[in-house]
Amino acid sequence: MLLHIGIDDTDSRKHGMCTTYIGAVLMRRLAKVGEVEEAKLVRLNPNIKYKTRGNAAIALAVRTKKVEEAKRITKQAVEEFAVLEDENTNPGIVFHEGELPEDFSRFYHRALHEVVGIDQAERLLRRHGAEYVKYKLGRGIVGALAAIGAELEQATYEYIAYRARERWGTRRNIDAASVLAMDALTFPLTFNNFDYGEGRVLIAPHTPCPVLFGIRGINAQVVEEAAKLVLPGEEIALSAVYKTNQGTDAHLEEVSRVAEVRPFSSVILTGEVASEPEIIRGGHVFFRLRDDHGEEITCAAYEPTRQFRGVVRALIPGDRVKVYGGVDESRTINLEKLEVLRLRRERLVNPQCKNCGRRMESAGRGKGYRCRRCRTRAEEKVRERLERNLQEKLYSVPPIAMRHLSKPPVLAL
Ligand SMILES: [Zn+2]
């Protein structure tokens, strides 16, 4: 029998923990009652605020004859490690035996693009006779069910090393030079190891959670090999490799017009820059994008996106772009990527006086242009070439600001 196990919302921003750690512990424990055939780390809608950082759920598929025993082991591990004392932690476990209904896959896609309620998950689980466990509010059953339903046609892999329990909450001492060497050897088969613009190691979190470091890459072998090149500075107490939707852009949906942009979704939208980009206090950059139907929407590059803001600031009205990003409650698109499709290369300016070289003035509506000094005249504005500091290509926020789900431009999946 193939038993699918989904788990979510066990961690706490304040106290640490990580649902992937419970998954790793479970992989070891479940090996005693069966064979773990698949381990998935599934990121869900990144635009939902109440979620614990990153919004990651896990799902395991276990081939076992001892289904009840496997369920007992799972519940025990969640009860042992979930941070139940945090009011924002509301774990959920979902069990499903055998073939996965198509409904589950559809639910996964909804949980990526929409805000899905606990009741909706519960209704679906009851309809298919799946067993589930709710702790406190049990919000975790949403992610747990979505993780089980995730078919991951496009996937990357993450190797995660975990710390010995007595080190949780203490400083990590990963050798940065070894991370650079690993990156030099394995990038772009691995990705987001280091942010060269910021000079920052990205493989280790700065939270009190059990994760020591994680390496993302295009297959299981490469992330495991890359991990051996890292000098961790302490014992690796446990490790796991997950198949994941990270780095796949699974959260993005192409829409054809502004009217289709829903709050809390993540979209790809093509249009024309309709306003001069504006920098506001705090260093955020905003501009208006006009779609092919003449409808407009605000796009934003926030301060943490660092040098990416320079790309956005260099846009001018008339540039044709494709924007990628999450949508907030006020329907502002929070840019993750921007593809410059066509740069405006010219602008219309008043003609120059052939005699003195000065810019002519309007002679009045419909009367052309004239030089006030020389009395020379011209009929029309002239085209002036614009020097642009942008290229017609895809720009992305730097790795340090990249969302888990965002596909780095180097990644060919
Ligand atoms: Zn003149």
Side-chain angles (χ1 to χ4, degrees):
M1 171 65 75
L2 192 61
L3 173 66
H4 296 274
I5 303 169
I7 304 171
D8 190 24
D9 205 3
T10 67
D11 48 359
S12 155
R13 199 176 291 239
K14 233 183 344 218
H15 309 283
M17 191 36 58
C18 176
T19 304
T20 73
Y21 175 75
I22 298 179
V25 168
L26 269 176
M27 282 186 237
R28 197 166 60 181
R29 293 184 184 173
L30 291 169
K32 290 168 194 146
V33 295
E35 195 190 333
V36 178
E37 292 188 354
E38 190 175 46
K40 292 182 283 186
L41 191 183
V42 178
R43 302 280 177 180
L44 300 168
N45 192 337
N47 306 314
I48 298 179
K49 283 207 182 62
Y50 61 70
K51 258 312 299 174
T52 49
R53 49 154 214 285
N55 207 357
I58 65 125
L60 305 177
V62 191
R63 181 81 52 195
T64 181
K65 290 186 177 106
K66 299 174 179 167
V67 169
E68 292 313 311
E69 179 68 359
K71 289 180 180 174
R72 194 191 58 75
I73 290 170
T74 302
K75 286 181 246 182
Q76 193 184 44
V78 170
E79 285 156 26
E80 186 178 341
F81 294 108
V83 188
L84 291 164
E85 62 269 29
D86 187 323
E87 61 171 333
N88 293 316
T89 301
N90 293 283
I93 309 173
V94 169
F95 298 110
H96 180 81
E97 297 167 39
E99 284 284 294
L100 290 176
E102 241 169 73
D103 275 357
F104 286 14
S105 165
R106 271 194 290 275
F107 187 84
Y108 160 64
H109 288 281
R110 289 187 57 198
L112 264 178
H113 307 301
E114 299 171 26
V115 182
V116 187
I118 301 170
D119 51 328
Q120 289 165 287
E122 224 160 348
R123 220 175 300 139
L124 191 56
L125 288 164
R126 282 207 216 98
R127 189 187 308 154
H128 291 281
E131 185 182 333
Y132 57 96
V133 189
K134 290 163 67 183
Y135 297 92
K136 297 157 62 187
L137 295 175
R139 189 188 293 132
I141 63 167
V142 173
L145 173 56
I148 288 177
E151 72 284 356
L152 302 187
E153 278 152 3
Q154 281 208 330
T156 63
Y157 291 77
E158 182 166 357
Y159 165 97
I160 308 177
Y162 299 96
R163 323 180 75 185
R165 197 158 193 173
E166 63 271 18
R167 302 299 296 257
W168 296 359
T170 66
R171 219 184 109 86
R172 295 168 179 84
N173 293 301
I174 294 165
D175 181 71
S178 74
V179 177
L180 285 169
M182 177 273 287
D183 189 61
L185 271 170
T186 62
F187 178 87
L189 301 178
T190 65
F191 56 92
N192 291 0
N193 299 312
F194 199 84
D195 189 305
Y196 289 87
E198 298 292 318
R200 283 268 295 275
V201 168
L202 299 180
I203 64 169
H206 298 276
T207 52
C209 78
V211 174
L212 180 56
F213 67 88
I215 296 180
R216 291 126 195 261
I218 62 160
N219 63 50
Q221 293 72 32
V222 79
V223 291
E224 280 179 293
E225 289 301 317
K228 291 178 192 157
L229 302 172
V230 173
L231 299 174
E234 65 185 70
E235 178 205 354
I236 293 173
L238 182 67
S239 70
V241 175
Y242 285 99
K243 186 178 185 181
T244 166
N245 61 355
Q246 293 172 163
T248 65
D249 278 350
H251 61 311
L252 294 168
E253 283 182 308
E254 187 141 20
V255 293
S256 61
R257 60 191 298 174
V258 167
E260 290 171 16
V261 177
R262 287 174 288 106
F264 308 113
S265 67
S266 301
V267 297
I268 302 172
L269 176 65
T270 299
E272 213 167 76
V273 176
S275 75
E276 213 63 66
E278 195 183 345
I279 307 152
I280 67 152
R281 207 177 52 181
H284 315 304
V285 184
F286 291 85
F287 71 91
R288 300 282 290 169
L289 182 77
R290 186 184 302 124
D291 71 13
D292 297 337
H293 303 268
E295 298 155 357
E296 291 187 9
I297 196 161
T298 300
C299 298
Y302 290 102
E303 190 281 328
T305 64
R306 315 285 162 97
Q307 64 263 36
F308 177 72
R309 293 171 301 160
V311 172
V312 176
R313 282 178 59 180
L315 294 169
I316 58 171
D319 286 341
R320 191 161 178 83
V321 296
K322 189 183 254 195
V323 300
Y324 302 69
V327 183
D328 69 15
E329 66 272 26
S330 62
R331 286 178 84 234
T332 294
I333 301 177
N334 179 359
L335 297 178
E336 297 169 19
K337 279 188 278 216
L338 181 139
E339 188 176 359
V340 179
L341 300 172
R342 197 177 61 237
L343 287 169
R344 202 179 112 209
R345 300 280 184 182
E346 289 177 334
R347 64 172 174 176
L348 288 175
V349 292
N350 291 3
Q352 269 180 312
C353 169
K354 294 218 167 47
N355 196 29
C356 71
R358 288 178 178 231
R359 205 51 81 188
M360 290 183 175
E361 292 171 357
S362 170
R365 187 188 283 259
K367 291 181 180 153
Y369 300 87
R370 68 163 177 222
C371 175
R372 187 183 269 182
R373 188 194 278 180
C374 314
R375 307 275 169 192
T376 46
R377 301 186 74 91
E379 288 301 309
E380 291 177 330
K381 288 198 177 203
V382 292
R383 291 179 194 282
E384 182 185 73
R385 190 166 169 78
L386 287 170
E387 284 311 316
R388 303 298 306 273
N389 292 321
L390 288 175
Q391 290 168 281
E392 283 159 356
K393 67 165 203 176
L394 180 65
Y395 291 92
S396 171
V397 301
I400 199 165
M402 213 174 273
R403 285 183 147 164
H404 296 292
L405 280 162
S406 285
K407 187 198 284 193
V410 293
L411 213 59
L413 289 174

